[in-house]
């Protein structure tokens, strides 16, 4: 970012604002002023000044107990993200149908750089509990949706993902880059992928890509079932049907894969 | 905001960032760089520099057609707002029950200064169409939820709302400040309010307050029915039951009314 000329202060100030915002996480949704200053690595006096301005605008809220939280206005503006609620809204009827037909967990996710963000999760009737959370992020290659999204990502993203050694969560987590490349190749060839107990010893996911009307993969949909109870191969047909229906529902939408 | 001392640039830069973000609205979710610069009233060169930094971070996204939109990361952080998804998640089972029992439209809203923001809307089976939209804002006194939330707002907010002459949308929209004060008093005394065809000639809403565990009104729930078909008075009991159930579900939550 250029910091020369009259706009010299822009970069550093904006960086600090973004540090303040990203200090809030699902694990840490509320902080005191000094905690926020420490986590964001912004001096206390600057934090104080910026936070007051962010409160006036509605990006943050301060409750009576002295804790700061994300404000309603940021939610309202965040809700304009086409890859969040926009995508979710168009896909939801098909995801609900898929859940009704299979009675299993159904998920929709997109890629953000090398990570996977879950946009919707519908819990199946008496289905296996899953670890994912809407708005949560997970290492890409351990999930079915992640394999699909990385398989269709630009090469430099694939390389970056394969260079990170994935954490071995279960005995079945694939960590060997060569085997991962094979899984990605299979995902592209077959048009779907099965991720077998990679994230939990109990769960298997089947995932397929969702395309925009320029044939770009913009999201992935998956069904997560209990290992040994449901044969995942039987779910490929309904899953592919649903993924195509969602792709069709995206015609005319502005969705693109994130361009980096 | 203090602009003296070494942090002198903080205020104006942050103001510009917020202007860039608030230029995005439900009516205008995508803009070119020059449109964004114009709508935000930020010089083009500064817009360009800031937008690049916002894209790097994920607050904005740029698609191949050259349009800028809100990015997924802002949605993820906005989703941490306790008065948005946090409230919605706790209230949703009760809202769904209320919809099932009444088969009518059910809504949940909070107050942001003098305006009302809808946090959830569940459409009833073959119920009357309503004008509200999740994340949308409406003039307070023309809706049932607005009357409840303003009735329990600090006095300076009430005065501000009553000083704005509400737009007369239908022949039934109450615009006389004296009559509005009466409606607000009724809302407080009765513990519910009926807003009769104020926003559309077809709809009547019944609304009731939702409290946190410090007996503060933090939200309002309403049922919206077709005028002349359903007697709204028959819906008061299920509505109050539901509002109490939601209040109970908020015990231990950090929700407070916005403190200004």
């Amino acid at each position: 970012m250029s910091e020369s000329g009259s706009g010299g202060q822009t970069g550093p100030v904006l960086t600090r604002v973004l540090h303040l915002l990203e200090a809030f996480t699902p694990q840490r949704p509320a902080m005191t002023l000094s905690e926020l200053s420490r986590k964001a690595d912004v001096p206390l006096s600057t934090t104080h000044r910026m936070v007051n301005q962010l409160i006036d605008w509605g990006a943050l809220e301060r409750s009576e107990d002295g804790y700061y939280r994300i404000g309603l206005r940021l939610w309202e503006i965040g809700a304009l993200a086409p890859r969040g609620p926009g995508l979710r809204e168009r896909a939801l009827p098909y995801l609900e149908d898929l859940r009704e037909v299979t009675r299993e967990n159904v998920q929709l996710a997109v890629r953000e750089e090398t990570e996977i963000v879950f946009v919707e999760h519908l819990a199946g009737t008496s289905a296996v509990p899953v670890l994912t959370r809407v708005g949560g992020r997970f290492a890409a290659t351990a999930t079915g949706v992640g394999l699909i999204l990385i398989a269709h990502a630009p090469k430099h993203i694939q390389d970056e993902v394969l260079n990170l050694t994935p954490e071995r969560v279960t005995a079945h987590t694939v960590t060997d880059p060569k085997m991962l490349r094979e899984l990605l190749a299979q995902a592209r060839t077959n048009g779907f992928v099965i991720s077998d107990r990679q994230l939990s010893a109990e769960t298997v996911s089947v995932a397929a890509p969702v395309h925009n009307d320029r044939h770009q993969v913009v999201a992935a949909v998956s069904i997560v079932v209990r290992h040994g109870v449901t044969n995942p191969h039987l779910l490929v047909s309904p899953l592919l049907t649903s993924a195509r229906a969602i792709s069709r529902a995206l015609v005319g939408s502005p969705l693109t894969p994130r361009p980096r």
Side-chain angles (χ1 to χ4, degrees), chain A residues 126-200:
Chain A
S126 65
V128 63
V130 296
L131 299 172
T132 51
R133 202 187 63 79
V134 171
R137 292 185 178 217
F138 284 84
T141 55
T143 64
V145 287
L147 287 169
I148 290 290
L149 290 167
I150 299 302
H152 294 277
K155 194 175 170 307
H156 70 276
I157 294 282
Q158 292 184 4
D159 291 343
E160 203 178 319
V161 170
L162 293 170
N163 280 338
L164 307 163
T165 309
E167 198 192 340
R168 184 182 291 278
V169 187
T170 74
H172 299 270
T173 310
V174 181
T175 57
D176 175 44
K178 217 165 157 184
M179 283 181 66
L180 281 175
R181 281 200 191 274
E182 183 121 332
L183 273 175
L184 297 179
Q186 280 177 23
R188 281 188 298 267
T189 311
N190 298 340
F192 69 89
V193 79
I194 293 177
S195 175
D196 186 5
R197 288 166 289 168
Q198 283 211 72
L199 209 56
S200 125

Side-chain angles (χ1 to χ4, degrees), chain A residues 20 23-24 31-41 47 51:
Chain A
L20 289 177
F24 293 88
M31 279 172 279
T32 62
L33 194 70
S34 59
E35 258 179 286
L36 178 53
S37 157
R38 207 166 49 244
K39 294 290 177 194
D41 196 22
T47 301
V51 155

Side-chain angles (χ1 to χ4, degrees), chain A residues 96-133:
Chain A
E96 285 177 337
D97 288 350
L98 191 57
R99 193 245 316 250
E100 286 309 304
V101 168
T102 64
R103 309 233 151 225
E104 301 287 357
N105 300 292
V106 170
Q107 305 191 122
L108 183 72
V110 298
R111 180 178 61 81
E112 180 80 346
E113 317 237 324
T114 58
E115 291 185 311
I116 302 305
V117 179
F118 285 87
V119 172
E120 184 56 283
H121 164 75
L122 299 177
T125 328
S126 65
V128 63
V130 296
L131 299 172
T132 51
R133 202 187 63 79

Side-chain angles (χ1 to χ4, degrees), chain A residues 11 28 30 37 44 47 49 67 70 77 83 88 107 111 117 130 142 151 159 164 182 192 205 221-222 230 232 242 256:
Chain A
R28 196 174 55 229
S37 157
L44 191 61
T47 301
R49 209 166 39 233
Y67 277 84
I70 295 296
I77 290 187
R83 297 203 300 147
R88 177 185 175 277
Q107 305 191 122
R111 180 178 61 81
V117 179
V130 296
D159 291 343
L164 307 163
E182 183 121 332
F192 69 89
S205 82
V221 58
S222 72
T230 311
S242 184
T256 47

